[in-house]
Amino acid sequence: KFIQRARHIEVQLLGDNHGGLVHLFERDCSVQRRHQKVVEVAPAPNLAPEKRKAICDAALAIGRLARYENAGTVEFLLDADTDRFYFIEVNPRIQVEHTVTETVTGVDLIMPGRFMQAEAITRLVAAQQVAQGRHAAVCQRAGGVRQRRVDRQG
């Protein structure tokens, strides 16, 4: 299917080996050059709350179906004209854009053993402690140097 005005939306997942699974919301990675992400923004701008929930719920459904363990990213294309979204792929690894998610949620994705510690993920899920409290954007510059800009809400 050809999508004329597509947005690239990613959802960060954390899963443990006891069935615990949590999403860490979405980020918009639509600004790309030669298939390389140039700007990543979280939360995704101009995304209706019900669409955000539907995309995050779809990512969780995919993770549950696969019995996903570890940190990973579920990627979607969102058709800006029809507001429908389509699954692209799951990347079973930490991506460069993880810092945007860390900034917005306050969850450290790199801490050794973070995603294999079932009790940590179970606590996140049970307490629903993960929340978006900030906005963040990361821009890729020449030579791969990254620059971060963070704005607090409130």
Side-chain angles (χ1 to χ4, degrees), residues 29-94:
C29 303
S30 299
V31 179
Q32 299 186 20
R33 182 173 187 246
R34 296 184 182 148
H35 306 290
Q36 296 297 312
K37 295 164 190 162
V38 177
V39 178
E40 300 101 28
V41 180
N46 302 315
L47 189 61
E50 59 275 1
K51 187 58 63 178
R52 175 175 286 112
K53 183 179 179 338
I55 290 172
C56 290
D57 287 349
L60 284 172
I62 291 166
R64 286 188 186 107
L65 185 64
R67 296 186 178 128
Y68 196 79
E69 299 175 14
N70 213 325
T73 306
V74 183
E75 301 189 19
F76 299 93
L77 283 182
L78 174 64
D79 187 327
D81 294 324
T82 66
D83 207 34
R84 293 186 63 184
F85 63 94
Y86 303 89
F87 170 74
I88 303 174
E89 64 181 346
V90 175
N91 283 308
R93 59 183 162 74
I94 293 288

Side-chain angles (χ1 to χ4, degrees), residues 3-143:
I3 300 174
Q4 181 74 31
R5 294 186 329 119
R7 293 177 63 189
H8 186 137
I9 307 293
E10 300 180 345
V11 178
Q12 185 72 55
L13 294 181
L14 283 177
D16 65 26
N17 56 1
H18 296 286
L21 185 68
V22 63
H23 74 76
L24 301 178
F25 302 98
E26 86 297 338
R27 54 188 178 243
D28 189 320
C29 303
S30 299
V31 179
Q32 299 186 20
R33 182 173 187 246
R34 296 184 182 148
H35 306 290
Q36 296 297 312
K37 295 164 190 162
V38 177
V39 178
E40 300 101 28
V41 180
N46 302 315
L47 189 61
E50 59 275 1
K51 187 58 63 178
R52 175 175 286 112
K53 183 179 179 338
I55 290 172
C56 290
D57 287 349
L60 284 172
I62 291 166
R64 286 188 186 107
L65 185 64
R67 296 186 178 128
Y68 196 79
E69 299 175 14
N70 213 325
T73 306
V74 183
E75 301 189 19
F76 299 93
L77 283 182
L78 174 64
D79 187 327
D81 294 324
T82 66
D83 207 34
R84 293 186 63 184
F85 63 94
Y86 303 89
F87 170 74
I88 303 174
E89 64 181 346
V90 175
N91 283 308
R93 59 183 162 74
I94 293 288
Q95 293 186 278
V96 172
E97 307 84 53
H98 76 274
T99 57
V100 174
T101 296
E102 287 178 335
T103 301
V104 169
T105 63
V107 175
D108 182 354
L109 298 173
I110 301 300
M111 185 175 87
R114 154 74 71 190
F115 21 90
M116 295 313 291
Q117 295 176 359
E119 62 278 0
I121 294 171
T122 301
R123 276 194 310 256
L124 283 173
V125 173
Q128 297 179 346
Q129 293 174 341
V130 179
Q132 289 177 310
R134 302 177 179 179
H135 291 268
V138 173
C139 302
Q140 183 81 14
R141 296 189 308 182

